[in-house]
Amino acid sequence: MWRQPRARLWALAGVAALGFLIALEFAARGYGLPGPIANQVRELIFAPKSGFLLYAGMALMMVVLTWRQRFIAAGAAIGIDIAFFVVRWAVDAKVTDGHPFGNGALWVILGCAVIAVTRRTGQERVLLLKGVGLGLLLVAGRKTGDTWLLITSKARPTVLDQYVATADHALGNPSWLVGRIVTATGAIGFNFLDIVYGQLAVAAVIVALYQLRNVAVERRFPGHHLVRTFLVIGLLGPAIYMIFPVVGPIFAYGTGAEHWAAVSLWSQTPPSGQWAVADLWPETPPPIHTPHHMPFDGITPRNCMPSLHTAWATAIFIHSRKGPRVLRFAGTFWLIATLSATLGFGYHYGADLIAGVVFTLTIEAALRSYDRGWDRSGIQLVAYGATVFAALLVSYRYLPLEMAKHPWVFGPLLMLVMTSVIYGYVRTVAPWEPRTAPTRRPESQPEPV
């Protein structure tokens, strides 16, 4: 098995992922905080901060199980959570910083890993381990992202928000516009969008479960599915944060206090606003002037460029296109609501969203090309998407003043280059989709005389 190129590739990827997690653990310890491994191990006993996500990970793992095994696994998870709840109630351990459930799901995932190693052999072992890995990757990705965001805030003391905010004049300052609309809707509109924004992973799991619904029957995973795209976006996107650190309009041009609980994952202390340029968001668009590097605090994540929420919502939209009508409607709704939330909460500039769409389509094209075999059309599409993405970052950094002074030129140009990537993706990928030939009706035979 290990002589097969794909097996060697997966082994190498596993070793690299483990090394990356260990490196992040040491980096977080250097800042006096637990890393992703410690946080995940902690959730075996203590109240987990990601209860819904743990059950979503278990749901992904269960795609490799039979229906009988799924009922047993779900029952075991619920039973373990009830036992934890009773013990916490007996010792009067109040759950103040986490969910009262989720431990059971993590124990079940790890239990299935033990069963795969000790009770399964051959292809059945590999399939069960793939399911376990799928569930753990979803949860570990969240923990890794939390730690990486902390590192961006420590490693990048200055941010480029003035450059992006200036370039955003070419798009009409959409964050300020949508921010005023969301503010006008009051608590109802804010809380609704906040739920959509915060449960993006749950929406992804729903689409992924539909795509993986036949794994238990076919005993293999499909060549390409949403989870692969999600993981690659989460792996590559944060690296861009270190190259192009941006905190977002609500922090750079506002107090940020009202949204702090939803953004900060490691501190309950809201910023005082002294790092902001001025308290402008969302009422007053920033003035046009020569941008400069801007010092910022060591707490707020530099997680704006590109907008990964936009990237993930775009991936959900793309992968929901093959589903039933209700799933297609849900994918469209989640994309629109996520774009509204990212802008309306002041977490992103319009330029971030454009970069996020291009980023996702490029990754999606690369994954599909890898799955079907690289050819000229796939290479050209990936190269074009990567070039456009790089050009967007360069223009935001070195041409923001020109973009702000000539919005009727650069605004349509930005939309045009994004649309060109969308068009290129649709035109290139559409012929790759398998097509079923229509069934021919049998010709009528003449009746015997």
Side-chain angles (χ1 to χ4, degrees), residues 95-330:
V95 179
T96 58
D97 189 22
H99 293 89
F101 57 88
N103 305 94
L106 183 57
W107 276 103
V108 167
I109 295 174
L110 296 178
C112 287
V114 174
I115 292 174
V117 174
T118 60
R119 304 292 297 275
R120 297 288 188 269
T121 58
Q123 185 61 29
E124 290 298 317
R125 173 187 288 177
V126 172
L127 186 66
L128 185 52
L129 286 177
K130 283 184 177 181
V132 170
L134 200 64
L136 288 178
L137 279 173
L138 181 69
V139 181
R142 173 67 178 271
K143 302 299 181 184
T144 302
D146 293 352
T147 304
W148 188 259
L149 293 183
L150 168 65
I151 293 175
T152 64
S153 65
K154 302 296 184 181
R156 287 292 179 262
T158 61
V159 297
L160 302 178
D161 280 77
Q162 292 190 29
Y163 293 88
V164 184
T166 303
D168 228 35
H169 281 277
L171 299 171
N173 301 295
S175 180
W176 271 257
L177 174 61
V178 182
R180 290 194 294 270
I181 295 175
V182 172
T183 302
T185 63
I188 296 177
F190 177 87
N191 291 328
F192 174 75
L193 290 178
D194 189 50
I195 293 173
V196 174
Y197 188 86
Q199 300 302 323
L200 186 65
V202 177
V205 168
I206 293 174
V207 176
L209 288 177
Y210 174 79
Q211 292 181 320
L212 304 176
R213 66 193 183 280
N214 294 324
V215 170
V217 177
E218 299 176 354
R219 312 311 293 167
R220 65 180 182 85
F221 281 84
H224 180 58
H225 51 84
L226 177 61
V227 180
R228 295 177 65 193
T229 306
F230 252 61
L231 292 176
V232 175
I233 289 174
L235 178 65
L236 298 180
I240 310 299
Y241 295 162
M242 303 295 286
I243 301 173
F244 210 105
V246 181
V247 295
I250 194 171
F251 296 108
Y253 294 92
T255 62
E258 59 183 306
H259 298 295
W260 183 248
V263 176
S264 178
L265 302 172
W266 46 81
S267 174
Q268 298 300 318
T269 304
S272 60
Q274 72 267 21
W275 295 97
V277 174
D279 189 4
L280 301 176
W281 190 90
E283 301 300 333
T284 307
I288 299 176
H289 58 75
T290 303
H292 302 282
H293 282 68
M294 176 179 164
F296 215 76
D297 63 39
I299 300 175
T300 308
R302 279 62 164 156
N303 62 339
C304 284
M305 182 62 71
S307 169
L308 292 196
H309 260 76
T310 298
W312 283 319
T314 303
I316 291 174
F317 174 81
I318 293 172
H319 283 264
S320 66
R321 294 305 90 194
K322 291 184 180 180
R325 180 177 298 179
V326 63
L327 196 64
R328 297 197 301 270
F329 284 159

Side-chain angles (χ1 to χ4, degrees), residues 287-421:
I288 299 176
H289 58 75
T290 303
H292 302 282
H293 282 68
M294 176 179 164
F296 215 76
D297 63 39
I299 300 175
T300 308
R302 279 62 164 156
N303 62 339
C304 284
M305 182 62 71
S307 169
L308 292 196
H309 260 76
T310 298
W312 283 319
T314 303
I316 291 174
F317 174 81
I318 293 172
H319 283 264
S320 66
R321 294 305 90 194
K322 291 184 180 180
R325 180 177 298 179
V326 63
L327 196 64
R328 297 197 301 270
F329 284 159
T332 304
F333 160 77
W334 221 273
L335 176 61
I336 296 174
T338 300
L339 296 180
S340 301
T342 55
L343 293 173
F345 291 164
Y347 295 157
H348 289 281
Y349 303 90
D352 304 336
L353 273 60
I354 292 178
V357 171
V358 174
F359 184 69
T360 302
L361 293 177
T362 304
I363 290 176
E364 185 71 18
L367 290 175
R368 288 178 180 267
S369 296
Y370 172 78
D371 183 56
R372 68 183 296 272
W374 291 94
D375 59 9
R376 182 178 180 181
S377 61
I379 294 173
Q380 287 178 339
L381 177 60
V382 174
Y384 179 69
T387 302
V388 170
F389 181 75
L392 288 173
L393 296 187
V394 171
S395 63
Y396 296 157
R397 172 61 180 84
Y398 295 102
L399 298 174
L401 202 58
E402 288 75 9
M403 297 170 70
K405 291 181 178 179
H406 306 283
W408 292 107
V409 175
F410 286 95
L413 184 60
L414 289 174
M415 300 302 297
L416 180 62
V417 295
M418 181 185 70
T419 304
S420 69
V421 176

